[in-house]
């Protein structure tokens, strides 16, 4: 009898997205994602007024309102935003319905400090958009968005970058399975990953390799980097010897 894999839980989606999300958020900050901003949700855009302004696609996820201690999903669309603005949230909603994930399929849920970020991570895993922004809208309420722009494509993964984002991601929220999170990051990032044993993974990068080790409970223990040897320079060919000048009859040059 064939066995089917169980539908992912909210925690599974969080573990899958958490490290790649950390890398995208660092890249977003480098591009000016912490600049002054404004929204035009009729046009479906958020604009960040950095040195080089970023006009991003805005995908409204929901609002976190401390006054009412609630998270309200954007797919509920009480503000009647255009369909394109809430399409990503609706996609998350459908995954929640088909997968039986309460937090993704219930329009309003109890707010805790961790809830908005974890729901954003789940939305990233479902949609494949890995950059988010949370903007204050007044009275302590924050609106959460996934944002898209061609400049959000990540540069090649260096060993320094991988060694930075792995612990940042795992340390940013509760992660059930650190090994699964590292494996998911490598797969989503298109990096080679090899397992020496259950407690040691080797993650390839553009300029070397990162060794990630785990303790006996599968928790992240240590990272070390190994840079690839620089290729030997190819010596320039020696200059061609000068040819003696040839002269034809009567001393004329040829």
């Amino acid at each position: 009898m064939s066995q089917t894999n169980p539908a992912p839980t909210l925690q599974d989606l969080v573990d899958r997205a958490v490290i790649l999300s950390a890398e995208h958020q660092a890249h977003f900050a480098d591009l000016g994602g912490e600049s002054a901003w404004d929204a035009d949700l009729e046009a479906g855009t958020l604009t960040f007024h950095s040195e080089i302004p970023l006009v991003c696609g805005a995908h409204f996820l929901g609002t976190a309102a401390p006054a009412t201690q609630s998270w309200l999903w954007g797919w509920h669309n009480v503000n009647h935003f255009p369909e394109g603005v809430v399409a990503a949230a609706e996609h998350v909603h459908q995954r929640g319905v088909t997968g039986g994930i309460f937090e993704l399929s219930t329009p309003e849920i109890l707010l805790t400090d961790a809830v908005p970020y974890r729901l954003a991570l789940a939305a990233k895993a479902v949609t494949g958009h890995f950059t988010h922004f949370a903007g204050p809208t007044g009275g302590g309420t924050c609106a959460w968005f996934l944002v898209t722009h061609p400049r959000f494509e990540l540069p090649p993964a260096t060993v320094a970058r991988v060694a930075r984002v792995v612990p940042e991601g795992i340390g940013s929220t509760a992660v059930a399975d650190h090994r699964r999170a590292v494996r998911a990051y490598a797969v989503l990032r298109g990096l080679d990953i090899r397992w020496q044993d259950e407690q040691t993974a080797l993650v390839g990068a553009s300029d070397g390799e990162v060794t990630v080790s785990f303790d006996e409970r599968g928790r992240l223990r240590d990272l070390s980097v190994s840079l690839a040897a620089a290729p030997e320079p190819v010596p320039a060919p020696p200059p061609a010897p000068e040819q003696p000048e040839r002269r034809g009859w009567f001393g004329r040059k040829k």
Side-chain angles (χ1 to χ4, degrees), residues 179 183 195-201 212-216 218:
R179 283 178 293 205
R183 184 186 301 109
W195 292 85
Q196 287 187 326
D197 50 50
E198 290 187 357
Q199 293 173 289
T200 309
V212 187
S213 60
F214 305 88
D215 62 21
E216 61 279 358

Side-chain angles (χ1 to χ4, degrees), residues 145-168:
F145 298 87
L146 297 180
V147 286
T148 54
H149 192 282
R151 291 177 64 198
F152 293 167
E153 182 176 351
L154 294 174
T158 62
V159 293
R161 196 177 187 94
V162 173
R164 170 189 170 187
V165 300
V166 167
E168 279 186 0

Side-chain angles (χ1 to χ4, degrees), residues 153-246:
E153 182 176 351
L154 294 174
T158 62
V159 293
R161 196 177 187 94
V162 173
R164 170 189 170 187
V165 300
V166 167
E168 279 186 0
I170 288 176
S172 66
T173 189
V175 175
D177 189 330
H178 293 190
R179 283 178 293 205
R180 178 174 60 185
V182 170
R183 184 186 301 109
Y185 168 67
V187 170
L188 290 169
R189 193 67 163 93
L191 305 178
D192 177 58
I193 182 168
R194 297 178 291 113
W195 292 85
Q196 287 187 326
D197 50 50
E198 290 187 357
Q199 293 173 289
T200 309
L202 305 176
V203 181
S206 62
D207 57 350
E209 196 168 60
V210 179
T211 301
V212 187
S213 60
F214 305 88
D215 62 21
E216 61 279 358
R217 296 191 300 161
R219 314 297 288 177
L220 179 66
R221 181 172 60 192
D222 193 23
L223 295 114
S224 61
V225 302
S226 175
L227 291 171
E232 292 291 333
V234 178
E242 293 186 8
Q243 298 294 324
E245 188 177 56
R246 297 177 60 196

Side-chain angles (χ1 to χ4, degrees), residues 18-215:
V18 68
I19 299 176
L20 188 58
S21 172
E23 185 172 10
H24 272 276
Q25 293 307 124
H27 185 56
F28 181 43
D30 291 343
L31 293 175
E34 297 175 356
S35 306
W37 65 284
D38 58 64
D40 182 351
L41 295 187
E42 287 303 313
T45 61
L46 291 183
T47 299
F48 297 89
H49 301 284
S50 52
E51 184 176 349
I52 302 175
L54 285 170
V55 182
C56 305
H59 306 276
F60 178 56
L61 289 180
T63 51
T68 58
Q69 284 295 292
S70 66
W71 165 273
L72 183 65
W73 273 106
W75 51 260
H76 197 44
N77 206 11
V78 295
N79 295 303
H80 306 291
F81 292 137
E83 289 184 7
V85 172
V86 296
E90 179 58 36
H91 185 40
V92 176
H93 175 219
Q94 293 303 320
R95 175 64 68 88
V97 170
T98 58
I101 304 175
F102 170 82
E103 297 90 343
L104 306 187
S105 57
T106 303
E108 189 170 11
I109 61 177
L110 181 65
L111 182 69
T112 68
D113 289 344
V115 158
Y117 177 56
R118 292 175 67 79
L119 296 181
L121 289 173
K124 292 181 180 192
V126 170
T127 65
H129 300 315
F130 279 87
T131 304
H132 76 263
F133 174 72
T137 61
T141 297
C142 271
W144 285 67
F145 298 87
L146 297 180
V147 286
T148 54
H149 192 282
R151 291 177 64 198
F152 293 167
E153 182 176 351
L154 294 174
T158 62
V159 293
R161 196 177 187 94
V162 173
R164 170 189 170 187
V165 300
V166 167
E168 279 186 0
I170 288 176
S172 66
T173 189
V175 175
D177 189 330
H178 293 190
R179 283 178 293 205
R180 178 174 60 185
V182 170
R183 184 186 301 109
Y185 168 67
V187 170
L188 290 169
R189 193 67 163 93
L191 305 178
D192 177 58
I193 182 168
R194 297 178 291 113
W195 292 85
Q196 287 187 326
D197 50 50
E198 290 187 357
Q199 293 173 289
T200 309
L202 305 176
V203 181
S206 62
D207 57 350
E209 196 168 60
V210 179
T211 301
V212 187
S213 60
F214 305 88
D215 62 21

